[in-house]
Amino acid sequence: MDSKLRLLLFFFCFVVSILPISISKKRPLDSLSPAEFTLVQTIVKTSYPSNNLSFHYVGLDEPDKAVVYSWLSNSKIKIPRRAIVIDLSRRSIVSDKVYTGHGFPLLTLEEQRTGAAPVLAYEPFKASVKKRGLNISDVVCSSSTVGFPCFYTDQGTVNMFLRPIEGITIVVDIEEMKVTQYNDREVAPIPKSEPTEYRWSKLKPPFGPRLNSVTTLPTGPGFKIDGNTVKYPLKDCPPNAVFIDGYFTSQDGAPIQTPNAICIFERHTGDVMWRHTEAEMPGDVREVRPEVSLVVRMVATVGNYDYVIDWEFKPSGSIKLGCKVRPVEYTHIDQIKEDQQGKLVADNTIGVNHDHFLNYYLDLDIDGYANSFEKTKLTVEKETAKTEFEARLKLDTKPMEFAMVNPNKKTKIGHPVGYRLLPGLVVGPLLTDDDYPQIRAGFTDYNIWVTPYNKSEKYSGGNYVDQSHGDDTLLQWTDGNREIENKDIVLWYTMGIHHAPCQEDFPVMPTVSGGFELRPTNFFEYNPVLKVIPPKHVQWPNCTGKHQPVSTLNIWW
């Protein structure tokens, strides 16, 4: 096997800066440290001492790829560290260009937390709450750029999104911190609080079955973390998780720590990595290897949605990317009839049909940066996409294979080395093309996109999504129909989930999963896990290894 083959994967999955858990030499793509956050804050405030500044994003300005490749060849090369528009090495601002296009940055954490205060103190709002027979002390409002929805939390429930106070429209000027528009249109009943509780300490019997916990051994995890680099020697070790803190910027520019933002663990699922039995051979030949993979996980809670985002690295070289979603969106039944946009899931409560989309930026440098995108209809003939239009694809049920290959590097047999894209669920948007949310989310128009690498094209929805006109998105970039054959290219994959709610989704929905896989295709000379050492058999207490009779199977519903 050619050990020189390598895959460089530059992926953007997290918006937080990862804090190294051990001291190591800085690498070119290491995220900013807390000290560098503070340095950015100091440089900006020193340059603009009299301005009322808000920091909406602080992140690494990644060095050019040529610089990264030079560092890979010689790690002694010193690469200047830069944040967005800030040269940290020279401690200077390199750009003070003012954005004048459509759209705004997202609300800061401070704006989200303090934005509800003017609403709760607004006398007309207090009167509206009193008119509904509610207590203002049990009202919680959520800051949003589409308005300020408010919820009722009496009787101890924390599942506030299931109990909206409907019929009120509120607009708040965030800069002035005051209510600028207010309209109490109608009074709608509040859904009951009784069935909405999900906290274990508050639930009442009867309970379901007890789940077994994970068994771990004192040998620790089979991976090591050096700075932001994870080393995984493919040992068969227990699934102990290691947690890593993250950092993002406050509105004032100071670093804010997010404890345990990312966890890394080994997944022991009981799956088979590979196996085969030769019953016709003497001795009944049987070989099997268990599947053990390395998972990097973060959870993003966005309002009433929880997204569990996994990057799973398998010993075979495959990379599985998945997202588990726990969405809940409920509206009072007086507004929408059951047979229109949703399903009646509880008293006075409708679950509205909706979509979830995640777009993955996958900068795959497969044994070098000059790559191509290939399509095949499961025949020996392959089609290489020459321009962006030829790579913009809406998937359907027709048999197709897709691969990113390096036409300049081949195996001993003569195949170009590559990685195959195995798509997941095929989902398209429900919105019409002229709907503004759809205009801003043009990346959902196609499931697969390929673009030439451009350092400024990093986020498929653009840098200023809030109230944008969709004029700086992946859809607009690819309208240029640029050449992508045998060039430094980026693969974009849009994963979607349709959610048609049902009663089992109430009050908290079991997770719904989606994902896709990047799988080696002629990247190795033969099966890379052929020689994986099988694990030793462990004799557990009270486990004789003999077949025990089974008389009863309990299935809990």
Side-chain angles (χ1 to χ4, degrees):
M1 184 183 303
D2 187 354
S3 60
K4 294 182 180 179
L5 293 180
R6 61 184 179 182
L7 168 71
L8 292 182
L9 173 63
F10 299 87
F11 59 88
F12 301 97
C13 171
F14 312 123
V15 297
V16 295
S17 172
I18 304 174
L19 175 66
I21 62 172
S22 64
I23 299 175
S24 73
K25 185 178 180 180
K26 279 285 184 183
R27 296 173 173 84
L29 298 179
D30 280 356
S31 50
L32 299 182
S33 68
E36 289 173 324
F37 269 85
T38 302
L39 180 57
V40 170
Q41 179 192 36
T42 301
I43 294 171
V44 173
K45 286 192 170 185
T46 301
S47 301
Y48 301 94
S50 60
N51 290 60
N52 184 19
L53 299 174
S54 292
F55 290 76
H56 288 261
Y57 176 76
V58 173
L60 177 71
D61 184 5
E62 297 170 1
D64 293 335
K65 278 194 179 180
V67 176
V68 177
Y69 274 103
S70 297
W71 183 89
L72 289 172
S73 301
N74 182 8
S75 61
K76 294 182 179 180
I77 296 176
K78 293 184 179 181
I79 300 177
R81 295 279 289 174
R82 291 180 58 162
I84 302 297
V85 308
I86 302 290
D87 189 325
L88 296 174
S89 302
R90 297 182 178 181
R91 303 197 173 199
S92 62
I93 296 176
V94 296
S95 174
D96 57 359
K97 181 180 179 181
V98 177
Y99 176 73
T100 58
H102 301 295
F104 300 90
L106 300 180
L107 296 179
T108 65
L109 184 62
E110 290 84 350
E111 289 171 339
Q112 295 177 52
R113 288 175 174 173
T114 61
V119 177
L120 296 174
Y122 193 55
E123 291 301 327
F125 179 71
K126 291 182 179 180
S128 296
V129 170
K130 186 176 181 180
K131 180 173 65 175
R132 289 164 170 76
L134 310 177
N135 296 320
I136 191 68
S137 60
D138 293 322
V139 174
V140 175
C141 294
S142 176
S143 301
S144 170
T145 57
V146 296
F148 278 73
C150 297
F151 310 89
Y152 201 50
T153 63
D154 73 325
Q155 301 179 16
T157 182
V158 296
N159 206 348
M160 67 179 195
F161 289 103
L162 301 191
R163 308 190 70 207
I165 303 174
E166 300 193 85
I168 302 176
T169 301
I170 311 168
V171 178
V172 175
D173 186 322
I174 290 295
E175 293 183 347
E176 298 292 336
M177 280 298 173
K178 66 179 183 181
V179 177
T180 58
Q181 296 181 35
Y182 186 82
N183 183 19
D184 189 348
R185 305 184 310 277
E186 61 175 335
V187 176
I190 303 294
K192 298 177 181 179
S193 65
E194 182 180 359
T196 64
E197 185 58 73
Y198 58 83
R199 291 173 294 177
W200 168 252
S201 61
K202 303 294 183 180
L203 296 177
K204 299 177 181 179
F207 297 110
R210 182 180 296 275
L211 300 177
N212 293 328
S213 60
V214 176
T215 302
T216 61
L217 297 176
T219 53
F223 59 90
K224 296 180 180 180
I225 300 178
D226 179 19
N228 289 334
T229 301
V230 179
K231 298 179 179 179
Y232 187 44
L234 309 183
K235 295 169 61 180
D236 181 23
C237 293
N240 300 336
V242 173
F243 292 87
I244 300 177
D245 295 342
Y247 282 82
F248 64 97
T249 183
S250 69
Q251 183 171 307
D252 187 56
I256 296 180
Q257 182 184 26
T258 302
N260 300 337
I262 297 171
C263 68
I264 302 175
F265 60 92
E266 289 167 307
R267 176 174 283 162
H268 297 245
T269 61
D271 291 338
V272 175
M273 181 188 298
W274 66 265
R275 80 176 304 280
H276 188 60
T277 297
E278 293 287 0
E280 291 80 7
M281 297 296 293
D284 191 16
V285 177
R286 180 183 292 111
E287 287 289 323
V288 63
R289 301 293 185 271
E291 181 77 275
V292 182
S293 57
L294 183 72
V295 178
V296 180
R297 168 179 293 174
M298 72 164 291
V299 179
T301 300
V302 185
N304 55 321
Y305 303 98
D306 292 273
Y307 297 91
V308 182
I309 301 173
D310 284 355
W311 291 71
E312 182 178 356
F313 300 90
K314 303 169 77 68
S316 62
S318 285
I319 305 171
K320 295 186 69 174
L321 303 98
C323 180
K324 299 178 178 66
V325 183
R326 200 278 308 176
V328 180
E329 185 71 33
Y330 297 103
T331 304
H332 186 262
I333 191 174
D334 285 352
Q335 286 189 317
I336 301 175
K337 300 301 181 182
E338 179 180 355
D339 294 335
Q340 294 181 2
Q341 287 87 6
K343 182 77 67 176
L344 181 65
V345 295
D347 291 342
N348 299 330
T349 307
I350 283 286
V352 181
N353 295 341
H354 57 280
D355 292 329
H356 296 262
F357 287 100
L358 290 91
N359 182 263
Y360 287 80
Y361 173 106
L362 303 163
D363 185 0
L364 298 172
D365 284 2
I366 301 174
D367 209 10
Y369 62 83
N371 292 174
S372 295
F373 179 69
E374 290 185 345
K375 302 175 289 183
T376 175
K377 298 180 180 179
L378 296 186
T379 67
V380 295
E381 297 181 358
K382 297 179 180 179
E383 177 187 351
T384 300
K386 299 183 181 301
T387 65
E388 290 175 294
F389 282 0
E390 295 179 11
R392 291 200 311 199
L393 302 173
K394 292 183 179 180
L395 302 181
D396 51 29
T397 58
K398 297 178 181 177
M400 289 285 288
E401 290 279 336
F402 314 98
M404 295 277 282
V405 302
N406 186 333
N408 311 295
K409 301 290 181 68
K410 298 184 178 181
T411 62
K412 294 178 181 178
I413 293 178
H415 299 299
V417 298
Y419 257 69
R420 182 180 302 163
L421 169 66
L422 302 181
L425 294 173
V426 178
V427 175
L430 296 176
L431 301 177
T432 59
D433 292 339
D434 59 351
D435 195 325
Y436 259 108
Q438 182 58 36
I439 292 173
R440 297 182 184 117
F443 60 84
T444 64
D445 285 359
Y446 298 91
N447 305 102
I448 297 175
W449 311 68
V450 179
T451 63
Y453 172 78
N454 186 324
K455 188 176 178 180
S456 66
E457 297 175 359
K458 187 173 179 180
Y459 303 109
S460 57
N463 291 327
Y464 302 93
V465 179
D466 181 24
Q467 303 180 51
S468 77
H469 291 191
D471 47 10
D472 183 29
T473 69
L474 181 58
L475 180 61
Q476 275 63 47
W477 304 334
T478 56
D479 278 344
N481 199 24
R482 297 165 293 187
E483 294 182 356
I484 58 173
E485 184 180 13
N486 199 17
K487 294 184 180 298
D488 188 0
I489 55 179
V490 176
L491 172 67
W492 308 71
Y493 179 76
T494 302
M495 184 189 77
I497 297 173
H498 287 316
H499 182 202
C502 58
Q503 286 185 250
E504 287 79 4
D505 298 344
F506 185 87
V508 173
M509 172 186 169
T511 55
V512 173
S513 300
F516 63 100
E517 184 174 351
L518 298 171
R519 189 179 181 90
T521 177
N522 303 313
F523 187 80
F524 301 102
E525 294 294 340
Y526 56 85
N527 183 352
V529 291
L530 179 68
K531 299 181 180 181
V532 169
I533 302 174
K536 295 181 180 179
H537 177 72
V538 178
Q539 187 70 42
W540 293 98
N542 302 321
C543 181
T544 62
K546 299 180 180 179
H547 293 288
Q548 301 293 334
V550 177
S551 57
T552 304
L553 175 63
N554 293 324
I555 301 179
W556 298 80
W557 296 91

